[in-house]
Amino acid sequence: MRAIGMVLAGGNSRRIKELTKNRAVAALPIAGNYRSIDFALSSMTNSHVQNVAVFTQYNARSLTEHLSSSKWWDFGRKQGGLTIFTPSITDDNNLWFRGTADAMHQNLAFLKNSHEPYVIIASGDGVYKLDYAKVLEYHIEKQADITVVVHDMPEGFPADRYGCVKMDQKNRIIEFEQKPIVAPSNTVSCGIYIIRRRHLIELIEKCAEEDRHDFVSDIIVRYRDIKAIYGYKLDTYWSNIASLEDYYRTNMDFLKRDVRYFFMMDHPIVYTKVDDLPPAKINSGSNIKNSLIASGSIINGAVEDSLVFKKTFVGNNCYIKNSIILNDVYIADNTHIENCIVESHSTIRSNYYHKCEQGVDVISETGDRFLM
Amino acid sequence: MIKKEMIAMLLAGGQGSRLGVLTTSMAKPAVPFGGRYRIIDFPLSNCINSGIDTVGVLTQYQPLRLNTHIGIGIPWDLDRNIGGVTVLPPFERNINTDWYTGTANAIYQNIEYMESFNPDYVLILSGDHIYKMDYEVMLDFHKKKKASVTIAVMPVPMEEASRFGIVVADEDKRITEFQEKPKDPRSNLASMGIYIFSWKTLREALIANADQPNLDFGKHVIPYCHEKKRKIFAYEFNSYWKDVGTLHSYWEANMELVDIVPEFNLYEEYWKIYTKSQAIPPTYVGNEAYIERTIVGERTGIYGKVFGSVLGCDVIVGEGTEIRDSIIMNGVRIGKGCLVEKAIVAEDVEIGDNVRLGMGDEAENDTRPDIYNHGLVTIGEKSIIPDGVSVGKNPVVSGRFTTADFPDGILPSGSTLIRGGEKR
């Protein structure tokens, strides 16, 4: 592969509320066993990108833990592999990453010391599968300065969360508006870009001179008229975790057969950290319908239209519906949970009742745990 | 100079012929167990959990599956700069080339491997038992007793003692006598086939007995050490230990895992069992499914009913199918409307729609009643069972079949239907 990869995983989102209190968006658990960054990293490794940098900043602990070994994505290489960059104090800098472009500028040595001619930039919060090699081919064919991967959203999507683009007939991007109030089109940027490495270094250095720090607004949007920026349409599943609703909906999408097969069965699959958990155990009195059950879980109650993540215990006579139970949750007997997300490591006492009437609630409870 | 205090030698070359078609194309240690594991995962995980990072795995019979499973030892953190896991097959030499002719002969042929680590102690393990054991505690015992050899033993019911190799020990746990399958046992301590040798003792005993045909630990090396008045001690182990040598004991050990709190608990955090996993995604349970007393590996899709069974990874159970008291290994596809009872279905088997397994009356297996018994249905790996057939009890089926192979769509109890060995 003639490109290096950069995954921007430093962002925080207040729209995801409680769930990002203790973790970066890129570390959000998805579909039972993944974290959101797995999709970008797996696409990198499946496209044979061998040298990948991850930029982290906010709440990096759980993300760093997840990336504790690069084996899982086949990045345990002598040549290249996975590198994690966090802001660090140096002689000429004592600031945080002030934006995505600044993050790259502070680690410009990584870009300069590589020898691959292209750079793939991806965000760590997209749920998708993409062969970046195809995007690169397209980029070269179009003789583009920058290629932006775009996706068509369904009607009535909330445009104010996305970068909206308008393309001409040759797919050249003629308009790019960050988080507009009214969407100029239903095509949005997926936050995945391809650019020539030397060109990127030039642009980043220029940006830094002008004291600008954001890759999207200060490079893509600012240069959209003078650079040849093309859109590459990603027409398979794509979802961005930008709000609590997005998070809930994206997870629930995995109950659909086509989405599940696309990510979990169809080659190449998405990789994630291996936890060495025992098989899921389903005891008498349980009743599971249309749900995903991850390994290490023990189920004794009823679970319907829900996702049960790893190492979760569901007690006797429980009823869980339309909910997402994150990792290592203990749910005691006679509990009723409906339309909720239960935060990791929660302990729900027995006879607990929570039904969210509108939207979705996040439950985070701590308490003593009585082990079996 | 490289120095490891204790290294382990894991004997994984045996066929385990009493497991019938399950070991046609893999050695017994590679046979799947408990949904997502293989038998060898238990001793290998015990090693790394006990702080042993150098393990030689001796292979001989059908080693491909073991080799691909072990690889460079990543799942067990046995990929090391120095030591780690090494697969040791028999090899050709200038003179006296031979297969591994016995357990101790296999170890003897790898003296050079052991020597390269300059060990103080060598742990000898076999790759066919299910248990969790801290070998470090056993080593502490060995050191405290200043032993030359320590044999792990476990108490068995006195009336069953005559089935085992029995050791008789004094109050200090020093072994005074060995009895191999004795008629009137004088003790109920059975040898588990797990030994710690002080390196000098082992080396000397192996070289002294090198010309003994079929050199075996239980039959030759241990008696030799006893004769030479070496200090041999019995280390008593009182926890779960299961020999899964026969199809019935293998089936039973799997079935015990679905108990509410199984005697052998895989859910303990501090003694994890590691394995190479092909799949990590969760298991999907469909709208019409019903599951009870079952453990399920990853990425399985259950659309039917499952009771008291052990399911591996990547299994599909079709709609309207009912599975009871069965072991369904990785990659098995079961169609719609099937009824499966007390079956052991090996990896990557395809079962069509409306198939019935384990139906009708008991009848003794017509070729190997000593292997296929207790009413179990055994299906060999990669078999194809066509739509609509009904299979009785105690049968063994292995191969790719069509409806024509089942007259009247029936395979009576006790039948043997094996088609294999074709050149590919």
Side-chain angles (χ1 to χ4, degrees), chain B residues 220-249:
Chain B
H220 310 112
V221 175
I222 301 287
Y224 170 85
C225 294
H226 189 51
E227 222 169 83
K228 291 273 168 188
K229 303 269 184 293
R230 302 271 186 259
K231 292 167 84 179
I232 308 180
F233 281 83
Y235 171 74
E236 205 173 307
F237 180 71
N238 281 307
S239 202
Y240 186 94
W241 182 81
K242 191 98 180 175
D243 176 42
V244 289
T246 65
L247 277 178
H248 185 245
S249 66

PDB file of all heavy atoms in Angstrom, chain B residues 220-249:
ATOM      1  N   HIS B 220       8.681 -47.177  32.554  1.00  0.00           N
ATOM      2  CA  HIS B 220      10.137 -47.343  32.618  1.00  0.00           C
ATOM      3  C   HIS B 220      10.857 -46.272  33.432  1.00  0.00           C
ATOM      4  O   HIS B 220      11.624 -46.598  34.320  1.00  0.00           O
ATOM      5  CB  HIS B 220      10.726 -47.388  31.203  1.00  0.00           C
ATOM      6  CG  HIS B 220      10.024 -48.359  30.295  1.00  0.00           C
ATOM      7  ND1 HIS B 220       9.271 -47.956  29.218  1.00  0.00           N
ATOM      8  CD2 HIS B 220       9.926 -49.708  30.349  1.00  0.00           C
ATOM      9  CE1 HIS B 220       8.758 -49.025  28.627  1.00  0.00           C
ATOM     10  NE2 HIS B 220       9.130 -50.098  29.287  1.00  0.00           N
ATOM     11  N   VAL B 221      10.611 -45.013  33.116  1.00  0.00           N
ATOM     12  CA  VAL B 221      11.444 -43.957  33.708  1.00  0.00           C
ATOM     13  C   VAL B 221      11.198 -43.819  35.211  1.00  0.00           C
ATOM     14  O   VAL B 221      12.140 -43.789  36.006  1.00  0.00           O
ATOM     15  CB  VAL B 221      11.217 -42.615  32.974  1.00  0.00           C
ATOM     16  CG1 VAL B 221      11.969 -41.499  33.658  1.00  0.00           C
ATOM     17  CG2 VAL B 221      11.653 -42.739  31.520  1.00  0.00           C
ATOM     18  N   ILE B 222       9.923 -43.765  35.597  1.00  0.00           N
ATOM     19  CA  ILE B 222       9.616 -43.625  37.025  1.00  0.00           C
ATOM     20  C   ILE B 222      10.103 -44.861  37.812  1.00  0.00           C
ATOM     21  O   ILE B 222      10.784 -44.708  38.840  1.00  0.00           O
ATOM     22  CB  ILE B 222       8.106 -43.360  37.239  1.00  0.00           C
ATOM     23  CG1 ILE B 222       7.682 -42.077  36.505  1.00  0.00           C
ATOM     24  CG2 ILE B 222       7.755 -43.308  38.714  1.00  0.00           C
ATOM     25  CD1 ILE B 222       8.150 -40.788  37.119  1.00  0.00           C
ATOM     26  N   PRO B 223       9.803 -46.099  37.340  1.00  0.00           N
ATOM     27  CA  PRO B 223      10.336 -47.277  38.047  1.00  0.00           C
ATOM     28  C   PRO B 223      11.866 -47.258  38.143  1.00  0.00           C
ATOM     29  O   PRO B 223      12.425 -47.629  39.175  1.00  0.00           O
ATOM     30  CB  PRO B 223       9.854 -48.454  37.193  1.00  0.00           C
ATOM     31  CG  PRO B 223       8.622 -47.950  36.531  1.00  0.00           C
ATOM     32  CD  PRO B 223       8.870 -46.503  36.270  1.00  0.00           C
ATOM     33  N   TYR B 224      12.517 -46.772  37.079  1.00  0.00           N
ATOM     34  CA  TYR B 224      13.981 -46.690  37.110  1.00  0.00           C
ATOM     35  C   TYR B 224      14.443 -45.734  38.222  1.00  0.00           C
ATOM     36  O   TYR B 224      15.339 -46.055  38.999  1.00  0.00           O
ATOM     37  CB  TYR B 224      14.498 -46.221  35.741  1.00  0.00           C
ATOM     38  CG  TYR B 224      15.967 -45.872  35.712  1.00  0.00           C
ATOM     39  CD1 TYR B 224      16.934 -46.848  35.511  1.00  0.00           C
ATOM     40  CD2 TYR B 224      16.387 -44.552  35.890  1.00  0.00           C
ATOM     41  CE1 TYR B 224      18.282 -46.531  35.497  1.00  0.00           C
ATOM     42  CE2 TYR B 224      17.729 -44.222  35.885  1.00  0.00           C
ATOM     43  CZ  TYR B 224      18.675 -45.207  35.686  1.00  0.00           C
ATOM     44  OH  TYR B 224      20.014 -44.880  35.665  1.00  0.00           O
ATOM     45  N   CYS B 225      13.797 -44.586  38.299  1.00  0.00           N
ATOM     46  CA  CYS B 225      14.161 -43.612  39.336  1.00  0.00           C
ATOM     47  C   CYS B 225      13.901 -44.186  40.730  1.00  0.00           C
ATOM     48  O   CYS B 225      14.656 -43.957  41.675  1.00  0.00           O
ATOM     49  CB  CYS B 225      13.380 -42.310  39.158  1.00  0.00           C
ATOM     50  SG  CYS B 225      13.800 -41.429  37.657  1.00  0.00           S
ATOM     51  N   HIS B 226      12.828 -44.954  40.838  1.00  0.00           N
ATOM     52  CA  HIS B 226      12.472 -45.572  42.108  1.00  0.00           C
ATOM     53  C   HIS B 226      13.545 -46.587  42.517  1.00  0.00           C
ATOM     54  O   HIS B 226      13.999 -46.615  43.661  1.00  0.00           O
ATOM     55  CB  HIS B 226      11.107 -46.254  41.959  1.00  0.00           C
ATOM     56  CG  HIS B 226      10.533 -46.740  43.257  1.00  0.00           C
ATOM     57  ND1 HIS B 226      10.409 -45.947  44.378  1.00  0.00           N
ATOM     58  CD2 HIS B 226      10.054 -47.967  43.617  1.00  0.00           C
ATOM     59  CE1 HIS B 226       9.887 -46.641  45.367  1.00  0.00           C
ATOM     60  NE2 HIS B 226       9.661 -47.880  44.929  1.00  0.00           N
ATOM     61  N   GLU B 227      13.939 -47.387  41.530  1.00  0.00           N
ATOM     62  CA  GLU B 227      14.974 -48.389  41.738  1.00  0.00           C
ATOM     63  C   GLU B 227      16.284 -47.747  42.204  1.00  0.00           C
ATOM     64  O   GLU B 227      16.976 -48.270  43.050  1.00  0.00           O
ATOM     65  CB  GLU B 227      15.225 -49.079  40.397  1.00  0.00           C
ATOM     66  CG  GLU B 227      15.396 -50.580  40.425  1.00  0.00           C
ATOM     67  CD  GLU B 227      15.358 -51.075  38.999  1.00  0.00           C
ATOM     68  OE1 GLU B 227      16.423 -51.010  38.341  1.00  0.00           O
ATOM     69  OE2 GLU B 227      14.255 -51.470  38.522  1.00  0.00           O
ATOM     70  N   LYS B 228      16.592 -46.611  41.594  1.00  0.00           N
ATOM     71  CA  LYS B 228      17.839 -45.910  41.923  1.00  0.00           C
ATOM     72  C   LYS B 228      17.716 -45.128  43.219  1.00  0.00           C
ATOM     73  O   LYS B 228      18.586 -44.303  43.522  1.00  0.00           O
ATOM     74  CB  LYS B 228      18.212 -44.943  40.781  1.00  0.00           C
ATOM     75  CG  LYS B 228      18.638 -45.642  39.517  1.00  0.00           C
ATOM     76  CD  LYS B 228      20.116 -45.951  39.537  1.00  0.00           C
ATOM     77  CE  LYS B 228      20.466 -46.912  38.403  1.00  0.00           C
ATOM     78  NZ  LYS B 228      21.839 -47.386  38.476  1.00  0.00           N
ATOM     79  N   LYS B 229      16.600 -45.337  43.931  1.00  0.00           N
ATOM     80  CA  LYS B 229      16.375 -44.689  45.234  1.00  0.00           C
ATOM     81  C   LYS B 229      16.350 -43.163  45.141  1.00  0.00           C
ATOM     82  O   LYS B 229      16.812 -42.462  46.037  1.00  0.00           O
ATOM     83  CB  LYS B 229      17.445 -45.115  46.250  1.00  0.00           C
ATOM     84  CG  LYS B 229      17.555 -46.624  46.467  1.00  0.00           C
ATOM     85  CD  LYS B 229      16.637 -47.053  47.623  1.00  0.00           C
ATOM     86  CE  LYS B 229      16.773 -48.536  47.945  1.00  0.00           C
ATOM     87  NZ  LYS B 229      16.293 -49.422  46.873  1.00  0.00           N
ATOM     88  N   ARG B 230      15.860 -42.648  44.034  1.00  0.00           N
ATOM     89  CA  ARG B 230      15.659 -41.199  43.940  1.00  0.00           C
ATOM     90  C   ARG B 230      14.478 -40.825  44.824  1.00  0.00           C
ATOM     91  O   ARG B 230      13.577 -41.640  45.050  1.00  0.00           O
ATOM     92  CB  ARG B 230      15.362 -40.782  42.502  1.00  0.00           C
ATOM     93  CG  ARG B 230      16.429 -41.171  41.521  1.00  0.00           C
ATOM     94  CD  ARG B 230      17.488 -40.101  41.395  1.00  0.00           C
ATOM     95  NE  ARG B 230      18.417 -40.451  40.334  1.00  0.00           N
ATOM     96  CZ  ARG B 230      19.629 -40.977  40.546  1.00  0.00           C
ATOM     97  NH1 ARG B 230      20.060 -41.208  41.772  1.00  0.00           N
ATOM     98  NH2 ARG B 230      20.414 -41.263  39.527  1.00  0.00           N
ATOM     99  N   LYS B 231      14.490 -39.571  45.286  1.00  0.00           N
ATOM    100  CA  LYS B 231      13.378 -39.130  46.142  1.00  0.00           C
ATOM    101  C   LYS B 231      12.178 -38.763  45.271  1.00  0.00           C
ATOM    102  O   LYS B 231      12.202 -37.755  44.564  1.00  0.00           O
ATOM    103  CB  LYS B 231      13.820 -37.940  46.991  1.00  0.00           C
ATOM    104  CG  LYS B 231      14.865 -38.325  48.042  1.00  0.00           C
ATOM    105  CD  LYS B 231      15.512 -37.110  48.640  1.00  0.00           C
ATOM    106  CE  LYS B 231      14.653 -36.546  49.771  1.00  0.00           C
ATOM    107  NZ  LYS B 231      15.317 -35.359  50.369  1.00  0.00           N
ATOM    108  N   ILE B 232      11.164 -39.612  45.327  1.00  0.00           N
ATOM    109  CA  ILE B 232       9.971 -39.372  44.519  1.00  0.00           C
ATOM    110  C   ILE B 232       8.815 -39.030  45.459  1.00  0.00           C
ATOM    111  O   ILE B 232       8.513 -39.782  46.394  1.00  0.00           O
ATOM    112  CB  ILE B 232       9.602 -40.613  43.669  1.00  0.00           C
ATOM    113  CG1 ILE B 232      10.831 -41.083  42.879  1.00  0.00           C
ATOM    114  CG2 ILE B 232       8.444 -40.295  42.740  1.00  0.00           C
ATOM    115  CD1 ILE B 232      10.587 -42.286  42.016  1.00  0.00           C
ATOM    116  N   PHE B 233       8.190 -37.892  45.229  1.00  0.00           N
ATOM    117  CA  PHE B 233       7.117 -37.453  46.111  1.00  0.00           C
ATOM    118  C   PHE B 233       5.789 -37.361  45.363  1.00  0.00           C
ATOM    119  O   PHE B 233       5.750 -37.204  44.142  1.00  0.00           O
ATOM    120  CB  PHE B 233       7.461 -36.092  46.726  1.00  0.00           C
ATOM    121  CG  PHE B 233       8.428 -36.202  47.859  1.00  0.00           C
ATOM    122  CD1 PHE B 233       9.799 -36.276  47.624  1.00  0.00           C
ATOM    123  CD2 PHE B 233       7.973 -36.263  49.165  1.00  0.00           C
ATOM    124  CE1 PHE B 233      10.695 -36.401  48.671  1.00  0.00           C
ATOM    125  CE2 PHE B 233       8.863 -36.382  50.219  1.00  0.00           C
ATOM    126  CZ  PHE B 233      10.230 -36.449  49.980  1.00  0.00           C
ATOM    127  N   ALA B 234       4.714 -37.470  46.127  1.00  0.00           N
ATOM    128  CA  ALA B 234       3.372 -37.368  45.554  1.00  0.00           C
ATOM    129  C   ALA B 234       2.788 -36.012  45.928  1.00  0.00           C
ATOM    130  O   ALA B 234       2.721 -35.659  47.107  1.00  0.00           O
ATOM    131  CB  ALA B 234       2.484 -38.486  46.084  1.00  0.00           C
ATOM    132  N   TYR B 235       2.409 -35.245  44.927  1.00  0.00           N
ATOM    133  CA  TYR B 235       1.782 -33.946  45.162  1.00  0.00           C
ATOM    134  C   TYR B 235       0.285 -34.110  44.965  1.00  0.00           C
ATOM    135  O   TYR B 235      -0.168 -34.423  43.864  1.00  0.00           O
ATOM    136  CB  TYR B 235       2.356 -32.912  44.195  1.00  0.00           C
ATOM    137  CG  TYR B 235       1.638 -31.596  44.197  1.00  0.00           C
ATOM    138  CD1 TYR B 235       1.801 -30.701  45.249  1.00  0.00           C
ATOM    139  CD2 TYR B 235       0.782 -31.248  43.154  1.00  0.00           C
ATOM    140  CE1 TYR B 235       1.139 -29.491  45.256  1.00  0.00           C
ATOM    141  CE2 TYR B 235       0.118 -30.036  43.151  1.00  0.00           C
ATOM    142  CZ  TYR B 235       0.294 -29.162  44.201  1.00  0.00           C
ATOM    143  OH  TYR B 235      -0.372 -27.969  44.203  1.00  0.00           O
ATOM    144  N   GLU B 236      -0.467 -33.946  46.039  1.00  0.00           N
ATOM    145  CA  GLU B 236      -1.891 -34.240  45.958  1.00  0.00           C
ATOM    146  C   GLU B 236      -2.661 -33.052  45.384  1.00  0.00           C
ATOM    147  O   GLU B 236      -2.501 -31.925  45.816  1.00  0.00           O
ATOM    148  CB  GLU B 236      -2.422 -34.599  47.345  1.00  0.00           C
ATOM    149  CG  GLU B 236      -3.650 -35.474  47.266  1.00  0.00           C
ATOM    150  CD  GLU B 236      -4.070 -35.982  48.639  1.00  0.00           C
ATOM    151  OE1 GLU B 236      -3.233 -36.567  49.349  1.00  0.00           O
ATOM    152  OE2 GLU B 236      -5.242 -35.768  48.995  1.00  0.00           O
ATOM    153  N   PHE B 237      -3.497 -33.334  44.407  1.00  0.00           N
ATOM    154  CA  PHE B 237      -4.314 -32.313  43.735  1.00  0.00           C
ATOM    155  C   PHE B 237      -5.772 -32.647  44.010  1.00  0.00           C
ATOM    156  O   PHE B 237      -6.190 -33.773  43.791  1.00  0.00           O
ATOM    157  CB  PHE B 237      -4.008 -32.340  42.236  1.00  0.00           C
ATOM    158  CG  PHE B 237      -4.770 -31.340  41.416  1.00  0.00           C
ATOM    159  CD1 PHE B 237      -4.472 -29.992  41.506  1.00  0.00           C
ATOM    160  CD2 PHE B 237      -5.786 -31.742  40.556  1.00  0.00           C
ATOM    161  CE1 PHE B 237      -5.163 -29.053  40.735  1.00  0.00           C
ATOM    162  CE2 PHE B 237      -6.481 -30.816  39.796  1.00  0.00           C
ATOM    163  CZ  PHE B 237      -6.165 -29.466  39.889  1.00  0.00           C
ATOM    164  N   ASN B 238      -6.520 -31.668  44.513  1.00  0.00           N
ATOM    165  CA  ASN B 238      -7.870 -31.988  44.960  1.00  0.00           C
ATOM    166  C   ASN B 238      -8.950 -31.213  44.242  1.00  0.00           C
ATOM    167  O   ASN B 238     -10.014 -30.976  44.777  1.00  0.00           O
ATOM    168  CB  ASN B 238      -7.988 -31.745  46.469  1.00  0.00           C
ATOM    169  CG  ASN B 238      -7.385 -32.888  47.231  1.00  0.00           C
ATOM    170  OD1 ASN B 238      -7.738 -34.051  47.002  1.00  0.00           O
ATOM    171  ND2 ASN B 238      -6.447 -32.588  48.105  1.00  0.00           N
ATOM    172  N   SER B 239      -8.673 -30.800  43.042  1.00  0.00           N
ATOM    173  CA  SER B 239      -9.643 -29.979  42.339  1.00  0.00           C
ATOM    174  C   SER B 239     -10.148 -30.732  41.120  1.00  0.00           C
ATOM    175  O   SER B 239      -9.835 -31.897  40.927  1.00  0.00           O
ATOM    176  CB  SER B 239      -8.914 -28.692  41.975  1.00  0.00           C
ATOM    177  OG  SER B 239      -9.804 -27.692  41.758  1.00  0.00           O
ATOM    178  N   TYR B 240     -10.884 -30.029  40.258  1.00  0.00           N
ATOM    179  CA  TYR B 240     -11.460 -30.682  39.080  1.00  0.00           C
ATOM    180  C   TYR B 240     -10.382 -31.159  38.123  1.00  0.00           C
ATOM    181  O   TYR B 240      -9.478 -30.406  37.744  1.00  0.00           O
ATOM    182  CB  TYR B 240     -12.377 -29.689  38.373  1.00  0.00           C
ATOM    183  CG  TYR B 240     -13.146 -30.270  37.206  1.00  0.00           C
ATOM    184  CD1 TYR B 240     -14.427 -30.762  37.384  1.00  0.00           C
ATOM    185  CD2 TYR B 240     -12.588 -30.309  35.935  1.00  0.00           C
ATOM    186  CE1 TYR B 240     -15.140 -31.294  36.318  1.00  0.00           C
ATOM    187  CE2 TYR B 240     -13.286 -30.835  34.868  1.00  0.00           C
ATOM    188  CZ  TYR B 240     -14.564 -31.321  35.067  1.00  0.00           C
ATOM    189  OH  TYR B 240     -15.259 -31.842  34.007  1.00  0.00           O
ATOM    190  N   TRP B 241     -10.452 -32.377  37.733  1.00  0.00           N
ATOM    191  CA  TRP B 241      -9.518 -32.959  36.761  1.00  0.00           C
ATOM    192  C   TRP B 241     -10.280 -34.015  35.984  1.00  0.00           C
ATOM    193  O   TRP B 241     -10.871 -34.904  36.560  1.00  0.00           O
ATOM    194  CB  TRP B 241      -8.329 -33.584  37.473  1.00  0.00           C
ATOM    195  CG  TRP B 241      -7.288 -34.162  36.557  1.00  0.00           C
ATOM    196  CD1 TRP B 241      -6.313 -33.474  35.911  1.00  0.00           C
ATOM    197  CD2 TRP B 241      -7.103 -35.533  36.202  1.00  0.00           C
ATOM    198  NE1 TRP B 241      -5.531 -34.332  35.170  1.00  0.00           N
ATOM    199  CE2 TRP B 241      -5.996 -35.604  35.332  1.00  0.00           C
ATOM    200  CE3 TRP B 241      -7.774 -36.720  36.534  1.00  0.00           C
ATOM    201  CZ2 TRP B 241      -5.541 -36.801  34.791  1.00  0.00           C
ATOM    202  CZ3 TRP B 241      -7.316 -37.905  35.990  1.00  0.00           C
ATOM    203  CH2 TRP B 241      -6.207 -37.941  35.129  1.00  0.00           C
ATOM    204  N   LYS B 242     -10.321 -33.865  34.698  1.00  0.00           N
ATOM    205  CA  LYS B 242     -11.147 -34.788  33.927  1.00  0.00           C
ATOM    206  C   LYS B 242     -10.358 -35.328  32.745  1.00  0.00           C
ATOM    207  O   LYS B 242      -9.801 -34.587  31.957  1.00  0.00           O
ATOM    208  CB  LYS B 242     -12.387 -34.040  33.417  1.00  0.00           C
ATOM    209  CG  LYS B 242     -13.434 -34.933  32.834  1.00  0.00           C
ATOM    210  CD  LYS B 242     -14.521 -35.235  33.841  1.00  0.00           C
ATOM    211  CE  LYS B 242     -15.582 -36.138  33.249  1.00  0.00           C
ATOM    212  NZ  LYS B 242     -16.579 -36.524  34.239  1.00  0.00           N
ATOM    213  N   ASP B 243     -10.362 -36.645  32.672  1.00  0.00           N
ATOM    214  CA  ASP B 243      -9.784 -37.301  31.507  1.00  0.00           C
ATOM    215  C   ASP B 243     -10.908 -37.440  30.492  1.00  0.00           C
ATOM    216  O   ASP B 243     -11.940 -38.019  30.799  1.00  0.00           O
ATOM    217  CB  ASP B 243      -9.243 -38.672  31.919  1.00  0.00           C
ATOM    218  CG  ASP B 243      -8.712 -39.427  30.713  1.00  0.00           C
ATOM    219  OD1 ASP B 243      -8.045 -38.801  29.886  1.00  0.00           O
ATOM    220  OD2 ASP B 243      -8.987 -40.628  30.618  1.00  0.00           O
ATOM    221  N   VAL B 244     -10.740 -36.852  29.331  1.00  0.00           N
ATOM    222  CA  VAL B 244     -11.813 -36.934  28.336  1.00  0.00           C
ATOM    223  C   VAL B 244     -11.429 -37.931  27.247  1.00  0.00           C
ATOM    224  O   VAL B 244     -11.560 -37.678  26.069  1.00  0.00           O
ATOM    225  CB  VAL B 244     -12.148 -35.547  27.748  1.00  0.00           C
ATOM    226  CG1 VAL B 244     -12.856 -34.703  28.774  1.00  0.00           C
ATOM    227  CG2 VAL B 244     -10.899 -34.839  27.272  1.00  0.00           C
ATOM    228  N   GLY B 245     -10.991 -39.096  27.707  1.00  0.00           N
ATOM    229  CA  GLY B 245     -10.431 -40.081  26.780  1.00  0.00           C
ATOM    230  C   GLY B 245     -11.456 -40.844  25.972  1.00  0.00           C
ATOM    231  O   GLY B 245     -11.146 -41.329  24.895  1.00  0.00           O
ATOM    232  N   THR B 246     -12.676 -40.971  26.465  1.00  0.00           N
ATOM    233  CA  THR B 246     -13.684 -41.707  25.696  1.00  0.00           C
ATOM    234  C   THR B 246     -14.770 -40.733  25.253  1.00  0.00           C
ATOM    235  O   THR B 246     -14.940 -39.665  25.846  1.00  0.00           O
ATOM    236  CB  THR B 246     -14.347 -42.803  26.536  1.00  0.00           C
ATOM    237  OG1 THR B 246     -15.089 -42.187  27.589  1.00  0.00           O
ATOM    238  CG2 THR B 246     -13.321 -43.741  27.143  1.00  0.00           C
ATOM    239  N   LEU B 247     -15.508 -41.131  24.237  1.00  0.00           N
ATOM    240  CA  LEU B 247     -16.565 -40.254  23.737  1.00  0.00           C
ATOM    241  C   LEU B 247     -17.570 -39.936  24.834  1.00  0.00           C
ATOM    242  O   LEU B 247     -18.044 -38.809  24.948  1.00  0.00           O
ATOM    243  CB  LEU B 247     -17.289 -40.918  22.561  1.00  0.00           C
ATOM    244  CG  LEU B 247     -16.615 -40.761  21.200  1.00  0.00           C
ATOM    245  CD1 LEU B 247     -17.397 -41.500  20.152  1.00  0.00           C
ATOM    246  CD2 LEU B 247     -16.490 -39.285  20.831  1.00  0.00           C
ATOM    247  N   HIS B 248     -17.869 -40.949  25.674  1.00  0.00           N
ATOM    248  CA  HIS B 248     -18.871 -40.692  26.708  1.00  0.00           C
ATOM    249  C   HIS B 248     -18.343 -39.740  27.772  1.00  0.00           C
ATOM    250  O   HIS B 248     -19.040 -38.812  28.188  1.00  0.00           O
ATOM    251  CB  HIS B 248     -19.347 -42.014  27.330  1.00  0.00           C
ATOM    252  CG  HIS B 248     -20.456 -41.803  28.304  1.00  0.00           C
ATOM    253  ND1 HIS B 248     -20.324 -42.064  29.648  1.00  0.00           N
ATOM    254  CD2 HIS B 248     -21.704 -41.301  28.151  1.00  0.00           C
ATOM    255  CE1 HIS B 248     -21.446 -41.750  30.266  1.00  0.00           C
ATOM    256  NE2 HIS B 248     -22.305 -41.278  29.378  1.00  0.00           N
ATOM    257  N   SER B 249     -17.081 -39.922  28.198  1.00  0.00           N
ATOM    258  CA  SER B 249     -16.551 -39.012  29.221  1.00  0.00           C
ATOM    259  C   SER B 249     -16.363 -37.614  28.634  1.00  0.00           C
ATOM    260  O   SER B 249     -16.531 -36.606  29.316  1.00  0.00           O
ATOM    261  CB  SER B 249     -15.244 -39.544  29.802  1.00  0.00           C
ATOM    262  OG  SER B 249     -14.233 -39.551  28.819  1.00  0.00           O
TER     263      SER B 249
END
